[in-house]
Amino acid sequence: MSDKTPREVLVIGGNRYFGKRLIRSLLAAGDRVTVLNRGSAPPPPGAAHLLADRDDEASLTVALAGRSFDVVVDQVCYTPRQAAVAARVFTGRTRRYVMTSTVEVYEHQDAAGPVAEEAVDPLSVPVDLDLPWDDPQTAAARYGEGKRQAEAVLAAAPGLPYVAVRVAHVLGGADDFTGRITHYADRLRAGAPIGVSVPNHPATYIHVDEIAAFLDWVTRQEFTGPVNAAAHGALATADIVAAVAAALPGGPYEADYRPAAGGPGAAGGGPGAAEGPEPSPFSFARSYGMDNSRAEKLGFRFSRTRDWLPRAVAETLEGN
C-alpha cells in the first residue's frame, strides 16, 4: 500500500486512556478511523462511529455489512466467547487483527527473570466456552484466564492474521481512571499503613503514551502472534511509592509497609496477614515481569521506566 493511501482502521472500544491516544495517533498519520462501541461514549473528533454490541454477533454483522478494514484493533476482548465472535465476523474482513492482551496472561508463571512470549503459547491453552463468561464477576475473577483463552481462539482461527499485544501495567496521564496512584497518595497523606504482598516482587510497566505509540506501530507491521509491550526496568512497590511521596506537597512522607490481609486478591495473591491493611495495587507475590526483546528485535525501542516515572506520577496526581 502506498504511504499516501489512507488505511481503513477499525478500533473496537478504546475511547479512553491509551485507547483515545491511539485513535488520535492513527488520525494524525492520515488513517481513516472508525470506532465501534455500544454508544457509551462518542469517538474522538475525526473518527467515524459505528454502534453495535461486540458480544452480539448478529448486531456486529449488520453494523459491518459491506465494510472491510486494513487493520482492526480490539481494545475490549476479554473472553474466549468474544474472541470467537470476532474470529467469525472479521475473518476475510481485515488483513490484520490486533488484540490488546495483558501481562496477566503470565499470572501462573513465577520466573527468576523476565518472561518471554513462548512461556504462554496460545495454541497450547485449553479453551472452555461453557464457563459463565457473560457474568461480570466471573469475567473479572478470571481476567488473566479470559485473555489467555481469547488469545487461544484467535491463534486457532484460520485466515485471521492476529497479534496479541501483552501490555504491561500502564502508568501516567491526567486521565488515569484506575485510582492506583491515588491509593498510595491517600495512604501517605493519612499516615495509613500500606498493605503489600509477602513476598513482594517487582513488575514491568509502560507509560500510557508509549503503549499508544506501540499499538500504532504494531498496526503497521507484518508479524503475527503474541508480543510483549513493556518499558525497560522493573519497578518494585517501593519505587512507585517513593515517586508518589516525592510528588506530594507538604512532605516528607514515610511509607509504613505492612503485610496485606491474606489470601489471593488485588495484590497478586500469596500469603498475607490474617488481619492487616487492604492489598495495595502494584504489589505482587509472583514474579512475572515481561521480556520485551521480541518487539525490540522487530524494530520498536522502549523507554526506561526510571526516565518517566516521576512525570507519570505527577501528571496522574495533577489530574486527580
Side-chain angles (χ1 to χ4, degrees), residues 179-292:
R180 295 174 297 191
I181 294 298
T182 54
H183 168 92
Y184 289 116
D186 292 343
R187 289 274 167 176
L188 288 167
R189 289 191 189 102
I194 295 172
V196 294
S197 297
V198 180
N200 188 20
H201 289 282
T204 44
Y205 294 83
I206 193 165
H207 190 274
V208 61
D209 292 335
E210 187 167 32
I211 186 55
F214 183 75
L215 286 166
D216 186 325
W217 175 80
V218 168
T219 70
R220 304 176 195 282
Q221 308 306 306
E222 299 295 331
F223 69 88
T224 58
V227 63
N228 292 338
H232 294 286
L235 298 173
T237 307
D239 297 320
I240 297 173
V241 174
V244 173
L248 289 175
Y253 295 93
E254 185 173 348
D256 178 13
Y257 296 109
R258 306 276 183 88
E275 295 182 4
E278 63 178 298
S280 296
F282 305 137
S283 172
F284 302 101
R286 230 178 246 105
S287 177
Y288 54 101
M290 293 193 296
D291 182 336
N292 62 15

Side-chain angles (χ1 to χ4, degrees), residues 21-274:
R21 288 167 171 81
L22 167 64
I23 294 168
R24 290 172 186 158
S25 178
L26 294 167
L27 290 168
D31 294 320
R32 287 196 288 255
V33 181
T34 301
V35 176
L36 185 148
N37 62 26
R38 291 178 295 183
S40 56
H49 195 189
L50 279 180
L51 292 175
D53 182 349
R54 63 91 33 83
D55 294 326
D56 183 339
E57 187 168 348
S59 167
L60 199 55
T61 301
V62 169
L64 296 170
R67 301 287 302 269
S68 61
F69 303 92
D70 296 295
V71 184
V72 174
V73 183
D74 193 343
Q75 294 279 75
V76 288
C77 185
Y78 300 111
T79 73
R81 285 187 191 170
Q82 292 175 325
V85 168
R88 288 192 294 269
V89 171
F90 287 105
T91 296
R93 203 186 291 270
T94 184
R95 298 189 298 176
R96 189 162 181 77
Y97 193 94
V98 179
M99 169 195 165
T100 55
S101 189
T102 173
V103 62
E104 298 301 330
V105 301
Y106 300 119
E107 64 184 331
H108 299 308
Q109 312 300 314
D110 196 359
V115 180
E117 290 85 354
E118 55 265 26
V120 175
D121 177 4
L123 291 174
S124 69
V125 173
V127 173
D128 185 353
L129 294 174
D130 293 328
L131 285 172
W133 292 111
D134 296 333
D135 172 37
Q137 290 186 333
T138 297
R142 294 175 175 266
Y143 177 68
E145 182 62 28
K147 288 287 192 178
R148 277 194 301 277
Q149 292 194 28
E151 286 190 26
V153 170
L154 296 177
L160 184 67
Y162 90 103
V163 178
V165 178
R166 294 172 176 172
V167 181
H169 305 287
V170 182
L171 293 175
D175 54 338
D176 180 353
F177 61 91
T178 65
R180 295 174 297 191
I181 294 298
T182 54
H183 168 92
Y184 289 116
D186 292 343
R187 289 274 167 176
L188 288 167
R189 289 191 189 102
I194 295 172
V196 294
S197 297
V198 180
N200 188 20
H201 289 282
T204 44
Y205 294 83
I206 193 165
H207 190 274
V208 61
D209 292 335
E210 187 167 32
I211 186 55
F214 183 75
L215 286 166
D216 186 325
W217 175 80
V218 168
T219 70
R220 304 176 195 282
Q221 308 306 306
E222 299 295 331
F223 69 88
T224 58
V227 63
N228 292 338
H232 294 286
L235 298 173
T237 307
D239 297 320
I240 297 173
V241 174
V244 173
L248 289 175
Y253 295 93
E254 185 173 348
D256 178 13
Y257 296 109
R258 306 276 183 88

